[in-house]
């Protein structure tokens, strides 16, 4: 039997436009050895997020860019398989920057400290990376801190079938707002209305999407939860009511142009529309707000327990599929949270989910 | 002696591009007669503001557009010359929408109610229309509600020699910020630094203005008080620090394109820069916030009494010069607040300024 190895993606060069297989190198390395104050974490689940693409660019987005030759950065859940840390025992499940690799070292140099997850897990791991994790917290911060919709107001959520958008819309509904989504296919739109309870969802690939959006927002738009950018936002800002609030969460339509000499897409917001409507635009990044995580996850868990938070996860098996899966995220192929299942936990790991037989 | 008449500007058509003499008609009409619940106000001072140009367009900006054929809308100070209102006596000085006319009727139909000014006046009338009036309150709302600069942070104020910008910068200094202005000539820049106490001021007509701005903001930009838009804002947003805040007060570079078939200028804010810096953009209009006027004017008056609020007024004599004066405002010809002196008060009017011999 051959020695176990550490499969690992390293950034070869910064993407110019859409991610290509050539941008990252997938190879095998020896498993890192650990010393005092370090633990070895085996990656079990890896979260795929639009931020992965930003970290591949030259942009500092809460953390410095991944250096050329560095391991691809990614959030995940792993299992402690060796430890010289008093606060981590073998078998503990932890969340943190596992990176796109089988193994990571948890120590004081981590840009985001690994944290030990409670036992038993309060939900399945993909959910803890999704609706009850950073994804859900992102939606919470945008809706509760920036938009703050009230009963009867209209909130539009772009990428409504996506991980963040699907939660954001339900948070808006929970506050009594009329919520209208946009998504990229009739099937997704049906799911957004039926499963997530949006009042309407517009397929932005329909030729008459602008008319459909106008019809779905007869009293104008009070809030935008923006994940996309581009033409959709251009149109939405023409319909803002006075005092409108825009949570600028993401610009997935743009990310693939970062690093491109001729950006194919660069969202620019018509300032006159903001001025005329005396609008507020607030951008934010979940990783800046760790002091709010407990409040947010507590709210989200309550909503879920009350049956008012429906969430979907797309789980893809195999670390070797991470690169293609990320590229596909930018084509809008998935619904809900996209997670790579990297490995099965060992028998020791505490993967029992509270309240579930397993 | 001929009967006194009411000189009056009426909107002939909405400007296409820069204001031309043809856009408004200056004529003479009979003086309005009043009935129960009405007072006749004779305009003494007329405030010129960028908002005048917006109200000439089709945009609803707190108030509906001036109708074609309607009297040009403008804020001013007048004297009550006849009254059938219990709350207004002949000789009272009042502020409100006098319009671009010698006479206005103060009644319940006014879009903004006329208010009786205290006696004696707390400051000269042009100051009450400027640094201690809507202009100063505008600066206060942008600095105190949106930017909220703290000691050591860097705030950039565009149109720093203008009525709002000059006050905004001094409010930033009073909070301990480093304040950098932009203005349209070396003379204005010198005045901004010497008179208003800005740390630096960049002439945006200099060929190397971008380099100069970079040099003047070595630690990046934490706040922008935006009055201009266009290229300057494009450059400023590339230097935003994380958590930056932008008070979007005005876009004077754009206004002259409103109504133009081929807008010469349309400020569009690079959304990626907002996202990367997790910035906040807040737009606002002073007329929406009458509940804050007392607080703001009290603060501004204290600052003035402490010698920390220097303000300039350019007073132009004669209602017949209002149209040209407004057009020139868009060329950046004036420093500080631009006011038209329309008429002398009668002997009855309470124009004595507190603390001044007259």
């Amino acid at each position: 039997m051959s020695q176990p190895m550490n499969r690992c993606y390293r950034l070869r060069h910064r993407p110019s436009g859409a991610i290509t297989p050539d941008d990252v190198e997938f190879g095998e390395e020896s498993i890192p050895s650990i010393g005092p104050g370090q633990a070895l974490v085996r990656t079990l689940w890896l979260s795929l997020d639009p931020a992965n693409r930003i970290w591949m660019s030259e942009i500092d987005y809460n953390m410095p860019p991944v250096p050329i030759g560095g391991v691809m950065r990614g959030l995940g859940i792993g299992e402690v398989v060796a430890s010289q840390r008093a606060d981590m025992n073998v078998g503990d499940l932890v969340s943190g920057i596992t990176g796109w690799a089988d193994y990571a070292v948890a120590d004081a140099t981590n840009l985001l400290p690994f944290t030990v997850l409670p036992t038993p897990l309060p939900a399945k791991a993909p959910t803890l990376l999704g609706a009850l994790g950073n994804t859900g917290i992102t939606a919470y911060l945008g809706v509760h801190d920036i938009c703050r919709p009230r009963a009867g107001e209209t909130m539009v959520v772009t990428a409504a079938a996506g991980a963040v958008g699907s939660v954001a819309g339900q948070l808006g509904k929970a506050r009594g707002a009329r919520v209208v989504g946009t998504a990229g296919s009739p099937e997704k739109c049906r799911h957004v209305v039926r499963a997530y309870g949006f009042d309407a969802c517009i397929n932005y690939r329909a030729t008459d999407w602008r008319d459909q959006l106008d019809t779905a927002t007869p009293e104008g738009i009070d809030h935008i939860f923006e994940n996309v950018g581009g033409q959709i936002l251009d149109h939405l800002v023409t319909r803002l009511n006075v005092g409108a609030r825009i949570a600028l969460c993401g610009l997935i339509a743009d990310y693939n142009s970062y690093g491109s000499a001729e950006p194919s897409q660069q969202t620019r917001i018509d300032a006159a529309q903001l001025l005329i409507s005396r609008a507020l635009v607030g951008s934010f990044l979940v990783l800046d707000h760790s002091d709010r995580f407990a409040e947010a996850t507590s709210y989200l868990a309550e909503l879920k327990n009350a049956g008012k938070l429906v969430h979907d996860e797309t789980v893809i098996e195999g670390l070797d599929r991470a690169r293609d899966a990320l590229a596909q995220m930018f084509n809008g192929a998935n619904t809900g949270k996209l997670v790579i299942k990297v490995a099965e936990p060992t028998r020791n790991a505490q993967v029992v989910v509270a309240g579930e037989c397993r």
Side-chain angles (χ1 to χ4, degrees), chain A residues 207-226:
Chain A
T207 51
D208 64 340
W209 65 268
R210 288 180 179 82
D211 292 339
Q212 289 190 41
L213 256 171
D214 295 354
T215 304
T217 57
E219 310 201 7
I221 296 173
D222 302 296
H223 308 279
I224 304 173
F225 193 108
E226 182 54 78

Side-chain angles (χ1 to χ4, degrees), chain A residues 101-122:
Chain A
D102 281 316
Y103 293 93
V105 174
D107 65 16
T109 69
N110 298 138
L111 290 175
L112 186 73
F114 277 89
T115 57
V116 177
L117 294 169
T119 308
L121 287 184

Side-chain angles (χ1 to χ4, degrees), chain A residues 5 75 115 121 140 146 161 199 201 210 214-215 233 240 303:
Chain A
M5 298 291 283
L75 303 172
T115 57
L121 287 184
Y140 178 89
I146 296 171
D199 295 284
C201 186
R210 288 180 179 82
D214 295 354
T215 304
L233 183 58
L240 295 180
L303 210 63

Side-chain angles (χ1 to χ4, degrees), chain A residues 207-284:
Chain A
T207 51
D208 64 340
W209 65 268
R210 288 180 179 82
D211 292 339
Q212 289 190 41
L213 256 171
D214 295 354
T215 304
T217 57
E219 310 201 7
I221 296 173
D222 302 296
H223 308 279
I224 304 173
F225 193 108
E226 182 54 78
N227 296 304
V228 176
Q231 286 192 333
I232 304 176
L233 183 58
D234 284 346
H235 184 70
L236 294 177
V237 297
T238 66
R239 295 186 59 74
L240 295 180
N241 292 329
V242 169
R245 304 170 73 90
I246 302 174
L248 183 59
C249 176
L251 293 167
I252 200 167
D254 288 19
Y255 297 159
N256 271 339
S257 75
Y258 291 0
S260 167
E262 302 249 342
S264 53
Q265 173 70 45
Q266 192 186 14
T267 298
R268 297 173 66 88
I269 305 173
D270 185 345
Q273 298 293 351
L274 302 182
L275 192 82
I276 294 163
S277 58
R278 284 85 90 184
L280 180 137
V281 181
S283 191
F284 64 106

Side-chain angles (χ1 to χ4, degrees), chain A residues 131-134 137 140 292-303:
Chain A
L132 296 185
N134 281 343
I137 299 169
Y140 178 89
R292 306 287 304 286
F293 287 8
E295 164 200 337
T297 50
S298 156
Y299 181 91
L300 291 161
E302 270 183 42
L303 210 63

Side-chain angles (χ1 to χ4, degrees), chain A residues 306-318:
Chain A
K308 291 178 180 170
L309 180 59
V310 174
H311 52 90
D312 290 293
E313 290 104 22
T314 301
V315 178
I316 294 178
E317 301 262 347

Side-chain angles (χ1 to χ4, degrees), chain A residues 112-198:
Chain A
L112 186 73
F114 277 89
T115 57
V116 177
L117 294 169
T119 308
L121 287 184
K124 291 180 181 173
T127 307
L128 294 178
L129 291 171
L132 296 185
N134 281 343
T135 302
I137 299 169
T138 296
Y140 178 89
L141 294 172
V143 173
H144 283 253
D145 286 8
I146 296 171
C147 289
R148 304 203 294 265
R150 287 180 293 198
E153 293 184 330
T154 298
M155 178 166 85
V156 174
V157 179
T158 57
V164 171
S166 57
V167 177
Q170 293 175 78
L171 295 178
K173 289 300 297 177
R175 294 175 66 110
R178 170 176 172 78
V179 178
V180 175
T182 66
S185 74
E187 296 70 32
K188 281 190 180 180
C189 284
R190 271 195 293 276
H191 188 69
V192 165
V193 171
R194 291 184 190 166
Y196 305 140
F198 284 47

